[in-house]
Amino acid sequence: MHANGIAVTLLSDNRAAYGLEAEHGLSLWIETAGHKILFDTGRGEAMLRNAEALGIDLGLADCVVLSHGHYDHTGNVSAVLGRAGHARLFLHPHAVQSRFSIHDAPKPIGMPKTSEEAIRSLPEERRCWVSTPWALAEGVMLTGPVPRLTAYEDTGGPFFLDEAGKHADAIADDLSIWVRTGAGLVVCLGCCHAGIINTLRYAVEISGEPRILAVIGGMHLLHAIQARLDRTVEALQAYDVSYLYPCHCTGEGAVSDLRQRLRASVQPGFAGMKISF
């Protein structure tokens, strides 16, 4: 069975339509199979103001999904859960841990304390810890943690669980959503730290659907070396993806590469963009 269609509105992204606000964050409003799903909650209040400007009532969400526990995807959890009083929250248990990126100095990049507190205070029946594939509705599924099988994909940065940089963060909480349509899967990504090809391979495996209609979201190719981009393009061509909407952490260089080399329609995302199939 498949959903009757899918409509995705970008509420938060690094770019924005005229009259809306851009931020370094990501949030997707997904309507499908009679459900309203908020996938990630952006970084700051730009997401909340954009939703209001676009006429989207976040209080109608029945599912709130966190792709992983970084600050730029979990910034409005408290506000959203306060408005959507019946929504269930879906996230991996590792999403609430402390985490850092280390370049010159350690920078905390975990979710804000307000978000963590809102998650921990949520009634148990509304909080769902996702460690395996999880069906949200008929034809709508969370991947859960994605097996890392490709040799060329990595998490995309110097990520650690401690300020001293002794314990690498594999970002095991990274998950994505796929929706089954009559023309193939629509796969929505947060940052895709597990790798876009690992994620698509797993979505195809657990869905049994070999066709990928569209991929929407952050692809974390910002710092990807050319060899990785080459292998990624090669694999995307093999999947014969029809539409690609790179957002957030994909990187302008990677987007340019994808546009030039893929047969797919590649349209960079922005807050306010509406996509429907």
Side-chain angles (χ1 to χ4, degrees):
M1 294 291 291
H2 60 75
N4 292 326
I6 175 174
V8 179
T9 304
L10 275 65
L11 302 183
S12 169
D13 198 2
N14 295 35
R15 300 164 64 241
Y18 179 76
L20 299 179
E21 296 177 51
E23 66 172 2
H24 179 72
L26 188 73
S27 179
L28 309 181
W29 180 254
I30 303 170
E31 298 176 82
T32 186
H35 290 270
K36 293 177 170 61
I37 303 164
L38 183 66
F39 184 51
D40 286 344
T41 63
R43 175 181 180 174
E45 292 185 2
M47 182 278 255
L48 301 176
R49 289 191 287 264
N50 287 344
E52 186 175 358
L54 291 165
I56 290 175
D57 183 356
L58 298 174
L60 297 178
D62 43 64
C63 299
V64 177
V65 178
L66 300 181
S67 65
H68 63 303
H70 282 166
Y71 71 100
D72 47 337
H73 296 254
T74 58
N76 296 286
V77 171
S78 180
V80 168
L81 293 178
R83 296 180 188 186
H86 300 289
R88 297 177 76 197
L89 176 70
F90 298 84
L91 72 165
H92 188 276
H94 288 180
V96 293
Q97 66 190 351
S98 297
R99 52 220 321 184
F100 303 85
S101 68
I102 301 178
H103 293 279
D104 297 326
K107 173 190 172 186
I109 57 171
M111 69 172 64
K113 286 295 177 191
T114 53
S115 297
E116 185 181 341
E117 288 163 5
I119 290 167
R120 296 195 186 280
S121 64
L122 200 64
E124 200 172 321
E125 64 271 15
R126 290 181 58 201
R127 188 177 57 224
C128 306
W129 300 110
V130 179
S131 53
T132 57
W134 189 307
L136 293 180
E138 187 74 52
V140 185
M141 184 167 273
L142 303 180
T143 60
V146 173
R148 318 288 174 94
L149 300 182
T150 58
Y152 56 89
E153 294 186 293
D154 55 51
T155 56
F159 301 118
F160 297 91
L161 298 174
D162 64 312
E163 290 183 84
K166 293 181 179 178
H167 303 285
D169 184 2
I171 316 181
D173 49 324
D174 181 84
L175 56 82
S176 299
I177 295 178
W178 58 258
V179 177
R180 190 190 302 272
T181 76
L185 301 180
V186 174
V187 183
C188 297
L189 317 169
C191 259
C192 211
H193 289 289
I196 183 173
I197 304 307
N198 281 329
T199 298
L200 295 184
R201 184 206 62 79
Y202 196 48
V204 165
E205 178 186 314
I206 59 182
S207 68
E209 169 59 78
R211 299 170 301 163
I212 305 284
L213 174 60
V215 182
I216 306 166
M219 302 172 190
H220 225 290
L221 296 170
L222 182 62
H223 302 298
I225 61 173
Q226 193 60 46
R228 176 178 178 179
L229 282 175
D230 291 344
R231 296 289 297 277
T232 299
V233 166
E234 201 175 283
L236 287 171
Q237 286 172 334
Y239 277 115
D240 199 22
V241 177
S242 299
Y243 301 93
L244 207 63
Y245 300 92
C247 306
H248 183 47
C249 55
T250 308
E252 289 184 16
V255 169
S256 176
D257 212 302
L258 295 170
R259 291 184 98 163
Q260 289 174 26
R261 299 169 63 191
L262 285 176
R263 292 185 296 270
S265 168
V266 179
Q267 302 176 49
F270 54 86
M273 177 183 259
K274 297 181 181 182
I275 305 158
S276 58
F277 297 102

